[in-house]
Each structure stands twice: as C-alpha cells, then as structure tokens.
Amino acid sequence: QVQLVESGGGLVQAGGSLRLSCAASGRIFRLAAMGWYRQAPGNQRELVADIRIGGSTNYADSVKGRFAISRDNAKNTVYLQMNSLKPEDTAVYYCNADVATNFPLEYRNYWGQGTQVTVSS
C-alpha cells in the first residue's frame, strides 16, 4: 500500500509563512501528479496547487503569488511554501498523489490524513 504523510501545519499570524511537506512511502513504482487541497469548515475540498512529474504547476487563483509548490522526486516528497498567509487560508490541508505501484503503469489516487493550518488575524 501507499501512505502519504503530511507535516508542517500549525498556527501562524496573518502575514506569516508556513511550509508543508508530504512524503509518500510504501509500494511506489512511479509518482505522477502530486498536489495540495484544502477544506475549511462548511466548505468543499478545493485544489490549492498541483505539480506534474515534469515540474509544471497549477495554482488556485486565491493563492497565486503567495504559495509555491515543489517536489523532490528522489524523496517522493511534495512541498507547499505558503507566504503572506491570510485568515481565509485557514483549513485542513490534504496531500494528494497519483501513484503507480507496479508495471504496467496503472495509477491510483491517494490522500493524506490532513494537517491543520490556522491563520489568526
């Protein structure tokens, strides 16, 4: 099986920064897209940012210019650098990845358990 384990969440004041990490482990043959989603109370889960294996990225409009996603393919890890945080960024942040566990490549989608990010005003 595959596990995604997030770390780096916490409480920060508005204008501050946090860096989230998500390490994938287990039976991994190849990781394709990796990304971060978030869900605030009463809201649907939404895409924050994702990154393809080649490095191309995609961001939600609400975080463009403030957040940066990156990955270390050797470590099967994806990062989310969050700067200029706002109270509306408060949510549980979930890591997501498409993983092939064998060849021929058949990808399945996996989720982490989530990490809380709270931004105080």
Side-chain angles (χ1 to χ4, degrees):
Q1 289 296 330
V2 174
Q3 298 82 38
L4 302 180
V5 179
E6 301 107 331
S7 61
L11 173 64
V12 64
Q13 288 189 332
S17 298
L18 283 174
R19 188 189 194 212
L20 304 183
S21 300
C22 171
S25 62
R27 187 182 174 90
I28 298 171
F29 185 81
R30 181 171 293 178
L31 279 170
M34 302 184 77
W36 291 93
Y37 288 71
R38 67 186 181 186
Q39 187 168 19
N43 290 356
Q44 290 187 332
R45 192 172 296 189
E46 63 177 3
L47 173 69
V48 176
D50 61 26
I51 182 168
R52 299 294 189 264
I53 191 169
S56 62
T57 59
N58 177 47
Y59 293 92
D61 288 343
S62 59
V63 306
K64 283 180 180 177
R66 299 188 298 122
F67 291 10
I69 190 170
S70 61
R71 63 190 288 169
D72 184 332
N73 292 327
K75 296 181 179 180
N76 292 334
T77 299
V78 63
Y79 306 95
L80 184 68
Q81 178 66 44
M82 304 185 294
N83 299 325
S84 302
L85 282 160
K86 304 175 181 179
E88 51 263 44
D89 294 318
T90 295
V92 178
Y93 283 69
Y94 296 92
C95 178
N96 180 269
D98 292 327
V99 183
T101 58
N102 213 332
F103 188 85
L105 301 177
E106 291 186 12
Y107 289 98
R108 287 185 59 188
N109 189 254
Y110 292 85
W111 291 93
Q113 81 285 354
T115 185
Q116 177 70 45
V117 171
T118 302
V119 184
S120 63
S121 57

